Amino acid sequence: MTRRTILLHPDPRLKAKADPIGSVDTELRRLADDMLETMYDAPGIGLAAPQVGILQRMLVMDCVKEEDAAPQPMVLINPEILEVSEERSVYDEGCLSIPDQYAEVERPAEVTVQWMDLDGKTQKERFDGLWATCVQHEIDHLDGKLFIDYLKPLKRQMITRKMQKLKRERAREAK
Ligand code: K1U
Ligand code: ZN
């Protein structure tokens, strides 16, 4: 497994709509492994393929928070939201492509999602709590949407400027 580089906002690849995946092959399985490794290493609770520069509709997540609990890695290919609850929930979201920036985002509290797994089988599950927030955040990444797109323009601009500064600093350090 290889840790991949996570793209930082702003980057045109984070604004693009990712392509559906036709079938599961060795390369896709390797990408899923690498994405899980990258997510756990960050650390994070989710990661979408566009965040590592691959414009394909695959995401990984593991929202188990208790340190002594067994990990529950999930790989979702071509995920689709079939149903959303009327009830909404607010969570202070972060993003590995926008480090150290957090903001409250309101989303449906529960969602039913259908996807293809790494065996090519169709799966369907109702998510709630942090899992529901995370899967919606990750599916947004596949559609080129970031959590800051839910914020007021001024707050979004402020975060984007901070990120541009961070990227300039990191580019200088890399020289
Ligand atoms: O997609 C991403 O950028 C990953 C992101 C997922 C996410 C976080 C919060 C709400 C919705 C989706 C993260 O994992 S940010 C890091 C984070 O939340 C975290 C890190 C360590 C422990 C617990 C949480
Ligand atoms: Zn994110």
Side-chain angles (χ1 to χ4, degrees):
M1 282 199 273
T2 311
R3 190 169 55 80
R4 305 227 181 173
T5 304
I6 298 176
L7 299 180
L8 292 182
H9 166 72
D11 186 300
R13 289 164 288 182
L14 294 171
K15 299 303 297 170
K17 197 170 166 71
D19 294 323
I21 292 169
S23 59
V24 178
D25 58 13
T26 312
E27 200 183 331
L28 195 76
R29 283 200 188 90
R30 184 165 304 133
L31 174 63
D33 281 349
D34 289 355
M35 284 172 58
L36 282 167
E37 165 105 356
T38 306
M39 178 191 80
Y40 286 125
D41 182 75
I45 54 170
L47 191 70
Q51 291 181 277
V52 293
I54 307 290
L55 292 180
Q56 294 193 347
R57 299 186 78 80
M58 180 163 73
L59 65 88
V60 299
M61 57 179 185
D62 184 347
C63 298
V64 171
K65 282 214 276 195
E66 303 76 30
E67 274 195 10
D68 48 355
Q72 218 177 295
M74 296 193 73
V75 178
L76 281 65
I77 299 163
N78 298 335
E80 276 179 55
I81 297 179
L82 301 181
E83 270 175 37
V84 301
S85 63
E86 269 184 35
E87 190 199 340
R88 318 264 299 173
S89 79
V90 175
Y91 193 85
D92 203 24
E93 295 193 17
C95 180
L96 297 175
S97 296
I98 313 177
D100 302 322
Q101 304 299 321
Y102 298 88
E104 288 191 343
V105 177
E106 189 186 296
R107 300 180 186 269
E110 294 185 19
V111 286
T112 304
V113 180
Q114 180 175 293
W115 71 94
M116 179 167 75
D117 67 17
L118 283 173
D119 295 319
K121 292 202 180 107
T122 302
Q123 303 286 349
K124 191 167 111 172
E125 195 171 318
R126 182 99 171 156
F127 293 99
D128 62 11
L130 184 54
W131 288 92
T133 299
C134 187
V135 76
Q136 291 175 80
H137 176 116
E138 301 310 331
I139 291 173
D140 274 353
H141 273 302
L142 304 182
D143 292 324
K145 192 163 184 176
L146 301 171
F147 82 92
I148 56 170
D149 294 326
Y150 292 95
L151 309 180
K152 295 203 173 98
L154 202 61
K155 172 98 177 155
R156 186 164 62 240
Q157 260 171 32
M158 222 176 66
I159 293 177
T160 299
R161 292 213 176 102
K162 278 188 192 161
M163 291 302 305
Q164 284 166 330
K165 187 162 172 262
L166 176 73
K167 285 183 81 170
R168 279 199 300 274
E169 284 164 5
R170 289 207 181 165
R172 263 203 303 273
E173 283 162 17
K175 275 186 193 163

